[in-house]
Amino acid sequence: MSAHSVEDIKRGSHRLRGTLVESLADQVTGAIAEDDQTLIKYHGSYQQDDRDIREERRRQKLEPAYSFMIRTRTPGGVVSPEQWLKLDRIATTYAERGLRITTRQAFQFHGVIKRELKATMQAINAAMIDTVAACGDVNRNIMAAANPHESRAHAFVHAQAAALSARLRPNTRAYYEIWLDEERIAGSGDEDEPIYGDTYLPRKFKIGFAIPPYNDVDVFAQDLGFIAIIENGDVVGYNVTAGGGMGATHGDPETYPRLGSLLGAIAPDQVTAIAEAVVTTQRDWGNRAVRKRARLKYTIDDRGLDVFRREVESRSGITFAEPRDYRFIHNGDRFGWVQGENGLWHLTLRIVAGRIWDREQPHLTGLREIATHLLAVEPDATSVPEFRMTPNQNLVIANIPDGERAHVDALVAAHGLAIHEVASPLRQNAIACVALPTCGLAMAEAERYLPDILTHFDALLAKHGLSDQSIHFRISGCPNGCSRPYLGEVALVGKAPGRYNLMLGGDHRGQRLNVLHRENIDEAAILAELDQLLARYAAERRDDEYFGDFLVRSGVVVARALNLELAA
Ligand code: SRM
Ligand code: SF4
């Protein structure tokens, strides 16, 4: 670990440049200098090593098998067919594990070696996509409701998300100089960062836009959330939430997941001012001494919600209006075709744990063929075909004219992409974080274990006659919560290899946190516990009662103190 604190590294980095150029040129190692490992995150990349062979390489006295993960900044998760083809080419040329859709509607590439990092970044840029601020103590990829069914509202919300993403992007030219060979000019390393200042934010910062009744973006898990208020198909304002977050540390009560709190309502043209006020308040008030307590959720709990709200009002010059009523019905995706208000069609495909590669089935090839076909589709007057990643790691093929549906369906079927037609509701909704072998923080498997644990879980559901129940299941390899596990009706949070904390009692709408039910248990114990609970659920549930709601009503778990503003 670096001898320097993250705050020192940021301050001394000449606006995120550090010694990245020198690190990339050093051919002796596949790694980069320690402080640069912090800085490269702000450029959208992480140094990792293959944990499957870490021990073996240590025994052989070799350095770990270093490689880099790269994450895109794709607000609302939208890319064109042309961009898809370029990203596909990058995945097959430079990366090892295909294209990975993240829980924040971005792409990740894994396994890019240092020698090819710059070429990969350039190729991403050539697809008109960048990776600036995809990681690091800055505003991250902004999420927006994925399924463009209510076409007008979606287009509007997506445009706001994209504009805000551009507004909150750091000003530094470091990315262009390091990766794209832009010439250094006077002032390089000293760019004005009016929003971030010299040390950027105390910690990562996340924003999401939801369109009720769907909460696919899990708006209450965001540092800052915008819940669209829609009248006659138009967005007339937003309810604003602040202070959501998932990350926690095992055994440390000072850290915890938290649902965002409602601040009040605003008009659509007040989004930027409110976001800037929230971000700069967190910049100035966030805890820079203790990184584990540096997220906005702790700032709000430490200072008090009313004090925080007043500060945001004073910085923005906007007084929040009374929150408006809203209702979410669920936080998953709607699979298959839906027709938008604009008459075009949208197909949501299930992508297991967001990983698209040609393994059991030729999924990467299939989507390449679909993208190639869509390039040739005559554009509609209102919208062109596009790919939209969902916050649940799935994929929407959007804006398809009626006459093209059959062809898309044929390509979907030919490449085994119609998982949503055969998978159980449990499988369709499950989310897994990446975890092993790439994530340096993983304590247990998640993505790789998902298919197996779901097979066991499905068998239990069948045993109790519950196969058609849609239970929201999420698994994370550690308590950082990248799959937003604390919102699952059933969730596993990794503790050690093969051992998990079993969390129970979230709802279907992303409005209730689950609770720790059993700590540090193995697969046999997890399944025994679920078997017993599902037996009770089958016997005692009320009509249409979701599993998470049943667990709370029947007292199996005591719901965490609900944020009362949200409970209504
Ligand atoms: Fe995450 C760190 C993967 C969404 C909370 N996350 C990491 C790292 C970079 C590990 C690391 O720091 O070394 C993981 C890289 C794994 C790999 O090999 O690819 C990682 N996080 C992911 C992704 C790819 C999970 C996925 O399976 O899709 C998601 C990428 C999102 C994106 O496109 O930007 C991802 N991470 C999340 C979410 C969900 C969300 O944002 O809606 C959370 C919980 C929400 C939150 O932030 O509170 C999340 N990730 C964390 C944390 C805990 C933060 C905290 O407050 O304590 C860490 C660890 C950290 O920051 O120190 C972390
Ligand atoms: Fe890694 Fe933990 Fe995030 Fe999973 S939850 S990707 S194990 S940091």
Side-chain angles (χ1 to χ4, degrees):
M1 269 284 108
S2 170
H4 304 126
S5 73
V6 175
E7 290 299 307
D8 288 343
I9 295 171
K10 287 186 278 188
R11 188 178 295 104
S13 70
H14 301 287
R15 298 286 189 263
L16 309 177
R17 287 170 178 82
T19 56
L20 272 164
V21 170
E22 291 81 352
S23 271
L24 293 173
D26 178 358
Q27 292 178 16
V28 174
T29 166
I32 57 175
E34 276 183 9
D35 288 2
D36 293 334
Q37 289 171 31
T38 295
L39 295 174
I40 201 168
K41 297 177 185 176
Y42 298 77
H43 300 255
S45 179
Y46 267 71
Q47 179 179 307
Q48 304 184 316
D49 73 285
D50 185 340
R51 294 185 56 185
D52 283 347
I53 54 172
R54 192 186 271 180
E55 193 47 35
E56 176 59 26
R57 289 185 65 98
R58 198 185 58 77
R59 271 201 298 275
Q60 293 182 12
K61 304 211 171 1
L62 294 170
E63 76 170 12
Y66 292 121
S67 67
F68 292 80
M69 174 270 273
I70 304 175
R71 187 184 286 168
T72 61
R73 187 169 62 92
T74 34
V78 178
V79 297
S80 69
E82 202 174 355
Q83 288 174 317
W84 183 278
L85 291 175
K86 291 186 171 156
L87 293 167
D88 168 282
R89 173 65 72 83
I90 294 164
T92 46
T93 309
Y94 300 113
E96 272 185 347
R97 302 164 58 77
L99 274 175
R100 176 60 157 69
I101 298 176
T102 74
T103 51
R104 295 195 66 79
Q105 300 177 289
F107 285 110
Q108 279 190 185
F109 301 98
H110 289 102
V112 178
I113 56 170
K114 187 171 95 172
R115 232 186 12 252
E116 298 187 335
L117 194 50
K118 192 163 166 178
T120 313
M121 295 293 243
Q122 292 184 346
I124 294 172
N125 204 262
M128 311 290 284
I129 292 172
D130 70 47
T131 63
V132 177
C135 318
D137 296 343
V138 280
N139 173 57
R140 303 292 191 85
N141 196 40
I142 298 189
M143 292 162 76
N147 198 321
H149 175 60
E150 302 84 358
S151 325
R152 246 178 323 145
H154 270 91
F156 186 86
V157 163
H158 182 261
Q160 288 223 288
L164 190 56
S165 171
R167 176 79 192 117
L168 296 177
R169 197 168 170 274
N171 276 342
T172 173
R173 300 299 296 173
Y175 169 84
Y176 299 92
E177 288 173 15
I178 295 168
W179 308 105
L180 307 178
D181 295 328
E182 182 180 275
E183 223 170 285
R184 293 196 65 156
I185 49 162
S188 274
D190 205 18
E191 294 91 338
D192 192 25
E193 293 281 15
I195 293 175
Y196 292 115
D198 288 345
T199 44
Y200 297 84
L201 299 181
R203 206 67 168 80
K204 56 177 68 167
F205 190 90
K206 300 180 170 179
I207 300 178
F209 286 77
I211 302 184
Y214 303 103
N215 187 18
D216 54 350
V217 302
D218 269 334
V219 73
F220 301 108
Q222 312 288 330
D223 290 277
L224 175 60
F226 294 99
I227 302 171
I229 303 164
I230 298 186
E231 286 175 3
N232 303 320
D234 290 317
V235 177
V236 297
Y238 293 99
N239 283 311
V240 181
T241 64
M246 294 279 100
T249 305
H250 285 311
D252 179 356
E254 292 283 289
T255 66
Y256 44 82
R258 184 187 189 281
L259 296 176
S261 312
L262 215 40
L263 292 176
I266 59 166
D269 63 2
Q270 295 175 325
V271 162
T272 310
I274 287 293
E276 283 184 15
V278 170
V279 168
T280 58
T281 302
Q282 162 65 357
R283 176 196 67 200
D284 299 339
W285 288 10
N287 186 340
R288 288 185 188 261
V290 186
R291 266 185 84 72
K292 279 193 171 154
R293 292 275 305 175
R295 292 293 292 271
L296 178 64
K297 58 185 173 180
Y298 304 120
T299 310
I300 290 179
D301 282 350
D302 291 347
R303 298 273 186 146
L305 185 61
D306 285 338
V307 175
F308 177 77
R309 184 191 282 114
R310 279 199 296 277
E311 181 67 15
V312 171
E313 289 182 333
S314 134
R315 288 186 187 221
S316 63
I318 293 165
T319 305
F320 285 106
E322 279 299 304
R324 297 274 297 272
D325 286 344
Y326 61 89
R327 195 173 80 91
F328 286 119
I329 52 174
H330 73 81
N331 58 348
D333 290 332
R334 292 162 289 164
F335 293 95
W337 289 102
V338 296
Q339 189 172 24
E341 285 163 349
N342 60 0
L344 296 171
W345 290 85
H346 317 297
L347 173 63
T348 305
L349 296 176
R350 168 68 181 156
I351 306 289
V352 179
R355 183 76 65 183
I356 304 172
W357 54 354
D358 288 349
R359 293 261 286 193
E360 288 90 10
Q361 305 268 12
H363 289 165
L364 197 60
T365 304
L367 288 164
R368 184 183 312 135
E369 292 197 12
I370 291 172
T372 307
H373 175 73
L374 295 182
L375 270 185
V377 168
E378 200 60 38
D380 177 89
T382 48
S383 305
V384 290
E386 62 191 20
F387 290 87
R388 278 172 183 253
M389 294 166 271
T390 83
N392 291 295
Q393 302 171 322
N394 298 312
L395 187 66
V396 185
I397 303 176
N399 298 333
I400 306 299
D402 198 30
E404 297 297 333
R405 285 175 59 196
H407 195 101
V408 172
D409 273 340
L411 288 172
V412 163
H415 296 88
L417 280 160
I419 299 174
H420 61 284
E421 288 176 4
V422 289
S424 65
L426 175 77
R427 270 177 199 271
Q428 295 193 13
N429 288 301
I431 309 183
C433 75
V434 177
L436 294 161
T438 52
C439 178
L441 304 177
M443 298 170 174
E445 297 280 355
E447 181 183 322
R448 294 196 296 196
Y449 179 45
L450 184 71
D452 284 351
I453 186 70
L454 288 179
T455 299
H456 294 305
F457 200 158
D458 262 338
L460 288 179
L461 289 172
K463 173 178 164 189
H464 296 290
L466 294 167
S467 292
D468 57 348
Q469 287 304 306
S470 162
I471 295 178
H472 283 193
F473 173 79
R474 296 177 172 187
I475 177 168
S476 275
C478 84
N480 284 317
C482 300
S483 60
R484 298 186 289 272
Y486 308 109
L487 290 167
E489 292 178 281
V490 177
L492 297 178
V493 173
K495 199 80 213 275
R499 303 189 79 86
Y500 298 85
N501 284 353
L502 175 62
M503 316 288 302
L504 295 177
D507 66 5
H508 249 239
R509 301 169 298 164
Q511 290 183 232
R512 184 173 64 221
L513 292 172
N514 55 23
V515 288
L516 176 59
H517 184 66
R518 292 276 181 274
E519 204 171 345
N520 198 20
I521 56 175
D522 63 10
E523 182 179 274
I526 293 164
L527 296 175
E529 197 63 39
L530 288 177
D531 191 14
Q532 205 195 97
L533 294 171
L534 290 170
R536 277 192 63 185
Y537 179 49
E540 300 169 27
R541 82 195 145 120
R542 293 180 178 157
D543 283 351
D544 296 332
E545 189 175 32
Y546 287 123
F547 188 49
D549 296 341
F550 164 77
L551 293 172
V552 172
R553 178 180 60 79
S554 60
V556 172
V557 299
V558 179
R560 287 192 211 204
L562 281 180
N563 181 336
L564 292 177
E565 289 151 316
L566 300 177

